[in-house]
Amino acid sequence: MKDEIKQESGVDNSRLEELLKEMDAGLVEPAKKEEFLKLFKESQLFMPIILSDEWLKGIEDSKPGETRTVGENAGFSINYLKLEGDKRAVPLFTSTELMESTGLQSSCIAFYMEDLADMLKQTDKYSLVAINPLTNLEAGMPIDSFLNLFESADEEEEVIKNILAILEKHSVVLEENISLVFRSDENFMKEQAVNGIFVPHVPFRASTNPDFQKELKYTNILLIPEGKRILFVGSVVGEDSFNTFIAPLTEFEIVEEVDEFTTVWKIGAQPFYE
């Protein structure tokens, strides 16, 4: 029966589900992470929706195969998940069976992820994309990371070029020691560090707000000594966004591993400014 449903809908995310199982067990190698992201970008996932009254009007009286005409107000809204505070998550399921297994009774639509990204670019209501929430194949992705998957190489290159120019012209020399915070769902700073030193090849974002993105799994505390350079944009973006940029090729050296999820780093050489 499941195979018949997949054939009718044309949506088969079985490989994506296999990779999610491996990710949940902590067995995913970098190559498989890349495969997952590639598949995810190209996939169609089922998104719970709430149909508008205009859409539902007269649907009970319509006949199979009948063409219905609806007004301009016909549409849908995302049947979102509520997170802490006023934050919202966009729920996505790899199959309708998984969605139904959570007890969620909702209309749904099969959405290509690229189309969803185009839609989400138009709003700031959502902070997370939740894949198969409340199931044993659950995964999450911050909305910024999700949208970045669909940025073209040219757009990304242009953004980085502009940031580099601003870093070169407007970075300030610190007159005192400060600390910043960077959080993520992946411990990539530590994973990519060589002999305890992490070197980003693109501008690195952080925040002066110690509670910024506190819901994410890994916390990196960045100690910036007096005399080092940063670009602070807090007056523009505020505390609820990354408000500090650190130049590429800056060396971050591990000072202390507080626990499994928290690492303290100290900034060293900054060859970008030499």
Side-chain angles (χ1 to χ4, degrees), residues 51-59 67-76:
L51 296 172
S52 67
D53 291 340
E54 176 73 18
W55 183 277
L56 293 170
K57 187 178 180 181
I59 195 170
T67 300
R68 296 175 57 237
T69 302
V70 294
E72 62 179 12
N73 294 322
F76 64 86

Side-chain angles (χ1 to χ4, degrees), residues 10-214:
V11 177
D12 182 0
N13 290 312
S14 52
R15 178 55 182 162
L16 204 60
E17 291 176 354
E18 289 175 8
L19 291 169
L20 283 166
K21 285 180 184 177
E22 294 183 23
M23 289 170 66
D24 184 59
L27 302 175
V28 177
E29 302 168 356
K32 287 191 175 180
K33 285 185 180 179
E34 289 183 16
E35 181 187 358
F36 170 79
L37 290 175
K38 184 176 184 298
L39 279 176
F40 178 60
K41 283 178 62 177
E42 298 171 352
S43 67
Q44 267 185 297
L45 298 185
F46 295 93
M47 182 174 71
I49 60 172
I50 299 172
L51 296 172
S52 67
D53 291 340
E54 176 73 18
W55 183 277
L56 293 170
K57 187 178 180 181
I59 195 170
E60 293 181 355
D61 298 326
S62 63
K63 299 176 182 178
E66 180 182 3
T67 300
R68 296 175 57 237
T69 302
V70 294
E72 62 179 12
N73 294 322
F76 64 86
S77 57
I78 298 173
N79 196 353
Y80 62 85
L81 299 175
K82 291 183 179 180
L83 304 177
E84 291 183 9
D86 295 327
K87 295 182 179 179
R88 301 176 178 183
V90 178
L92 300 169
F93 292 90
T94 50
S95 70
T96 54
E97 294 92 342
L98 270 175
M99 185 183 80
E100 291 166 1
S101 74
T102 68
L104 176 62
Q105 300 294 321
S106 175
S107 300
C108 67
I109 185 171
F111 239 111
Y112 280 107
M113 293 300 94
E114 186 172 4
D115 293 336
L116 179 61
D118 288 339
M119 185 177 80
L120 293 178
K121 285 177 183 177
Q122 312 304 318
T123 180
D124 60 358
K125 292 181 180 179
Y126 306 98
S127 59
L128 185 75
V129 168
I131 305 168
N132 294 330
L134 307 176
T135 73
N136 60 356
L137 294 179
E138 185 173 15
M141 183 180 295
I143 202 73
D144 287 344
S145 299
F146 174 73
L147 296 179
N148 286 342
L149 290 176
F150 301 93
E151 282 191 3
S152 70
D154 290 341
E155 288 175 342
E156 187 174 352
E157 186 177 335
E158 186 64 26
V159 169
I160 291 175
K161 184 178 178 181
N162 290 336
I163 293 174
L164 290 176
I166 295 170
L167 275 166
E168 188 172 8
K169 187 175 182 180
H170 296 289
S171 291
V172 297
V173 178
L174 293 175
E175 297 181 354
E176 60 182 2
N177 299 337
I178 68 168
S179 64
L180 304 174
V181 67
F182 172 78
R183 291 188 173 91
S184 62
D185 277 326
E186 299 290 335
N187 200 11
F188 71 86
M189 286 185 70
K190 191 173 175 182
E191 290 173 356
Q192 295 179 18
V194 178
N195 297 324
I197 296 177
F198 168 74
V199 179
H201 294 281
V202 294
F204 192 85
R205 302 184 301 172
S207 176
T208 57
N209 178 4
D211 294 324
F212 181 59
Q213 293 187 329
K214 203 169 184 177

